[in-house]
Amino acid sequence: YDTQSAMRTSDPYELVLTYCRCMMGFLLFAPEPARALLIGLGGGSIAKWVHRSLPRTQLTCVELHPQVVGVARSMFHLPEDDERLEVIVGDGAAHVWQMDEDSADLIMMDAYSATGIAPPLATTDFFAACRDRLTGNGVLAVNLWGSDKRFPEYRERLSKVFDGRVLCLPARQKGNVVAFEIGRAHV
């Protein structure tokens, strides 16, 4: 059993889990993203942190399961939608395919489950769609599990799509590896 969401009641906005803090590594490449997409909501830690800490960022979260959104709002203090936060119940892959090109400064994927990444979120074509939706300075941050037998496949697909501009950052906690794919303008 692995903890996928955690919150400190004395500070609900703190990023308790190490991999969540690692996901914020995107700030090295995109310190003030105007438009961001988060695929996979979980307890809402990442969404809450972005909403509170990056006041110029408009964040859209896409979560497949409505009950996850309900738990994030009722138990983990995820705020209601406003002009900077939109939570959509839907398919993250389908959402990316429907986006305009060059429409996101940041795409974060935190859609890892006990069975791995859902197949539609791990194909070369999907990663290429993410690349095409990123602005020139955009960043894709993907939460991966280093011990997953498909990890080398995922890394290779990302490297191919992003012309080798991939940085893997192992989280201190067991297993998580955050892969950052760097947009064209960072070369």
Short mmCIF file of all heavy atoms in Angstrom, two decimals, residues 39-65:
data_model
loop_
_atom_site.label_atom_id
_atom_site.label_comp_id
_atom_site.label_asym_id
_atom_site.label_seq_id
_atom_site.Cartn_x
_atom_site.Cartn_y
_atom_site.Cartn_z
N ILE A 39 -3.64 16.67 -14.90
CA ILE A 39 -4.39 15.45 -15.19
C ILE A 39 -4.25 14.54 -13.99
O ILE A 39 -3.14 14.11 -13.66
CB ILE A 39 -3.87 14.76 -16.46
CG1 ILE A 39 -4.01 15.69 -17.67
CG2 ILE A 39 -4.61 13.45 -16.70
CD1 ILE A 39 -3.34 15.17 -18.93
N GLY A 40 -5.35 14.27 -13.32
CA GLY A 40 -5.35 13.47 -12.10
C GLY A 40 -5.33 14.39 -10.89
O GLY A 40 -4.37 15.12 -10.67
N LEU A 41 -6.37 14.36 -10.11
CA LEU A 41 -6.51 15.29 -8.99
C LEU A 41 -6.08 14.69 -7.66
O LEU A 41 -5.45 15.39 -6.86
CB LEU A 41 -7.98 15.74 -8.91
CG LEU A 41 -8.33 16.71 -7.80
CD1 LEU A 41 -7.61 18.04 -8.00
CD2 LEU A 41 -9.84 16.92 -7.76
N GLY A 42 -6.40 13.43 -7.41
CA GLY A 42 -6.11 12.84 -6.11
C GLY A 42 -6.75 13.66 -5.01
O GLY A 42 -7.87 14.16 -5.14
N GLY A 43 -6.02 13.86 -3.92
CA GLY A 43 -6.52 14.66 -2.81
C GLY A 43 -6.49 16.15 -3.07
O GLY A 43 -6.99 16.93 -2.27
N GLY A 44 -5.90 16.56 -4.17
CA GLY A 44 -5.89 17.97 -4.54
C GLY A 44 -4.70 18.76 -4.04
O GLY A 44 -4.68 19.98 -4.16
N SER A 45 -3.69 18.10 -3.49
CA SER A 45 -2.53 18.81 -2.94
C SER A 45 -1.86 19.72 -3.97
O SER A 45 -1.57 20.88 -3.69
CB SER A 45 -1.50 17.83 -2.40
OG SER A 45 -2.03 17.10 -1.33
N ILE A 46 -1.61 19.19 -5.15
CA ILE A 46 -0.94 19.98 -6.18
C ILE A 46 -1.83 21.13 -6.62
O ILE A 46 -1.36 22.28 -6.74
CB ILE A 46 -0.53 19.08 -7.37
CG1 ILE A 46 0.57 18.10 -6.92
CG2 ILE A 46 -0.07 19.91 -8.56
CD1 ILE A 46 0.90 17.01 -7.92
N ALA A 47 -3.10 20.86 -6.85
CA ALA A 47 -4.02 21.91 -7.28
C ALA A 47 -4.13 23.01 -6.23
O ALA A 47 -4.09 24.20 -6.56
CB ALA A 47 -5.40 21.31 -7.55
N LYS A 48 -4.24 22.65 -4.95
CA LYS A 48 -4.33 23.65 -3.88
C LYS A 48 -3.08 24.51 -3.84
O LYS A 48 -3.16 25.73 -3.69
CB LYS A 48 -4.51 22.98 -2.51
CG LYS A 48 -5.85 22.42 -2.24
CD LYS A 48 -5.99 21.96 -0.80
CE LYS A 48 -4.91 21.00 -0.38
NZ LYS A 48 -5.13 20.40 0.93
N TRP A 49 -1.91 23.86 -3.96
CA TRP A 49 -0.66 24.59 -3.87
C TRP A 49 -0.53 25.57 -5.03
O TRP A 49 -0.17 26.73 -4.83
CB TRP A 49 0.53 23.62 -3.85
CG TRP A 49 1.80 24.31 -3.50
CD1 TRP A 49 2.34 24.47 -2.27
CD2 TRP A 49 2.69 24.97 -4.41
NE1 TRP A 49 3.51 25.18 -2.35
CE2 TRP A 49 3.74 25.51 -3.66
CE3 TRP A 49 2.69 25.16 -5.79
CZ2 TRP A 49 4.80 26.21 -4.23
CZ3 TRP A 49 3.74 25.87 -6.37
CH2 TRP A 49 4.77 26.39 -5.59
N VAL A 50 -0.81 25.11 -6.23
CA VAL A 50 -0.72 26.00 -7.41
C VAL A 50 -1.71 27.15 -7.26
O VAL A 50 -1.36 28.31 -7.47
CB VAL A 50 -0.96 25.21 -8.72
CG1 VAL A 50 -1.17 26.15 -9.91
CG2 VAL A 50 0.20 24.25 -8.99
N HIS A 51 -2.93 26.85 -6.86
CA HIS A 51 -3.96 27.88 -6.72
C HIS A 51 -3.56 28.94 -5.70
O HIS A 51 -3.76 30.14 -5.92
CB HIS A 51 -5.29 27.22 -6.32
CG HIS A 51 -6.44 28.15 -6.34
ND1 HIS A 51 -6.99 28.67 -5.20
CD2 HIS A 51 -7.17 28.66 -7.37
CE1 HIS A 51 -8.00 29.47 -5.53
NE2 HIS A 51 -8.14 29.47 -6.83
N ARG A 52 -2.96 28.52 -4.62
CA ARG A 52 -2.58 29.47 -3.56
C ARG A 52 -1.26 30.18 -3.86
O ARG A 52 -1.12 31.38 -3.60
CB ARG A 52 -2.47 28.74 -2.23
CG ARG A 52 -2.14 29.70 -1.09
CD ARG A 52 -2.05 28.97 0.20
NE ARG A 52 -2.47 29.83 1.29
CZ ARG A 52 -2.33 29.52 2.54
NH1 ARG A 52 -1.81 28.36 2.89
NH2 ARG A 52 -2.72 30.34 3.48
N SER A 53 -0.28 29.46 -4.40
CA SER A 53 1.08 30.00 -4.52
C SER A 53 1.38 30.69 -5.84
O SER A 53 2.35 31.44 -5.93
CB SER A 53 2.09 28.86 -4.33
OG SER A 53 1.90 28.26 -3.06
N LEU A 54 0.58 30.42 -6.86
CA LEU A 54 0.83 31.03 -8.18
C LEU A 54 -0.42 31.82 -8.60
O LEU A 54 -1.22 31.35 -9.40
CB LEU A 54 1.16 29.94 -9.20
CG LEU A 54 2.39 29.09 -8.89
CD1 LEU A 54 2.54 27.96 -9.90
CD2 LEU A 54 3.65 29.94 -8.85
N PRO A 55 -0.57 33.04 -8.07
CA PRO A 55 -1.81 33.79 -8.27
C PRO A 55 -2.07 34.22 -9.71
O PRO A 55 -3.19 34.62 -10.04
CB PRO A 55 -1.65 35.00 -7.35
CG PRO A 55 -0.19 35.13 -7.12
CD PRO A 55 0.38 33.74 -7.20
N ARG A 56 -1.08 34.12 -10.58
CA ARG A 56 -1.28 34.49 -11.98
C ARG A 56 -1.55 33.28 -12.87
O ARG A 56 -1.66 33.40 -14.08
CB ARG A 56 -0.06 35.24 -12.51
CG ARG A 56 0.11 36.59 -11.84
CD ARG A 56 1.24 37.38 -12.49
NE ARG A 56 1.64 38.45 -11.60
CZ ARG A 56 2.79 38.47 -10.95
NH1 ARG A 56 3.67 37.53 -11.12
NH2 ARG A 56 3.07 39.47 -10.15
N THR A 57 -1.65 32.10 -12.26
CA THR A 57 -1.84 30.87 -13.02
C THR A 57 -3.31 30.46 -13.04
O THR A 57 -3.95 30.36 -12.00
CB THR A 57 -1.00 29.73 -12.42
OG1 THR A 57 0.38 30.11 -12.47
CG2 THR A 57 -1.18 28.44 -13.19
N GLN A 58 -3.81 30.22 -14.23
CA GLN A 58 -5.15 29.67 -14.41
C GLN A 58 -4.98 28.16 -14.55
O GLN A 58 -4.30 27.69 -15.47
CB GLN A 58 -5.81 30.25 -15.66
CG GLN A 58 -7.21 29.75 -15.86
CD GLN A 58 -7.84 30.35 -17.11
OE1 GLN A 58 -7.20 31.02 -17.90
NE2 GLN A 58 -9.12 30.09 -17.28
N LEU A 59 -5.55 27.39 -13.62
CA LEU A 59 -5.35 25.94 -13.55
C LEU A 59 -6.65 25.20 -13.87
O LEU A 59 -7.68 25.48 -13.27
CB LEU A 59 -4.86 25.54 -12.16
CG LEU A 59 -4.70 24.04 -11.89
CD1 LEU A 59 -3.63 23.43 -12.79
CD2 LEU A 59 -4.37 23.80 -10.42
N THR A 60 -6.54 24.27 -14.81
CA THR A 60 -7.63 23.35 -15.10
C THR A 60 -7.19 21.97 -14.64
O THR A 60 -6.08 21.53 -14.96
CB THR A 60 -7.94 23.31 -16.61
OG1 THR A 60 -8.31 24.62 -17.04
CG2 THR A 60 -9.06 22.32 -16.92
N CYS A 61 -8.02 21.31 -13.86
CA CYS A 61 -7.75 19.95 -13.38
C CYS A 61 -8.76 19.02 -14.02
O CYS A 61 -9.95 19.32 -14.03
CB CYS A 61 -7.90 19.85 -11.87
SG CYS A 61 -6.91 21.02 -10.96
N VAL A 62 -8.28 17.90 -14.54
CA VAL A 62 -9.18 16.90 -15.13
C VAL A 62 -9.01 15.61 -14.34
O VAL A 62 -7.91 15.07 -14.25
CB VAL A 62 -8.88 16.67 -16.62
CG1 VAL A 62 -9.85 15.66 -17.20
CG2 VAL A 62 -8.96 17.99 -17.40
N GLU A 63 -10.11 15.16 -13.76
CA GLU A 63 -10.13 13.94 -12.94
C GLU A 63 -11.22 13.02 -13.48
O GLU A 63 -12.36 13.45 -13.67
CB GLU A 63 -10.38 14.28 -11.48
CG GLU A 63 -10.67 13.10 -10.57
CD GLU A 63 -9.61 12.03 -10.59
OE1 GLU A 63 -8.42 12.37 -10.39
OE2 GLU A 63 -9.95 10.85 -10.79
N LEU A 64 -10.87 11.77 -13.70
CA LEU A 64 -11.80 10.80 -14.27
C LEU A 64 -12.95 10.44 -13.34
O LEU A 64 -14.07 10.22 -13.78
CB LEU A 64 -11.02 9.54 -14.66
CG LEU A 64 -11.76 8.46 -15.44
CD1 LEU A 64 -12.30 9.01 -16.75
CD2 LEU A 64 -10.83 7.28 -15.69
N HIS A 65 -12.69 10.39 -12.04
CA HIS A 65 -13.67 9.87 -11.09
C HIS A 65 -14.32 10.99 -10.27
O HIS A 65 -13.64 11.67 -9.50
CB HIS A 65 -13.00 8.87 -10.15
CG HIS A 65 -12.32 7.76 -10.88
ND1 HIS A 65 -13.01 6.76 -11.52
CD2 HIS A 65 -11.01 7.50 -11.09
CE1 HIS A 65 -12.16 5.92 -12.09
NE2 HIS A 65 -10.94 6.36 -11.85
#
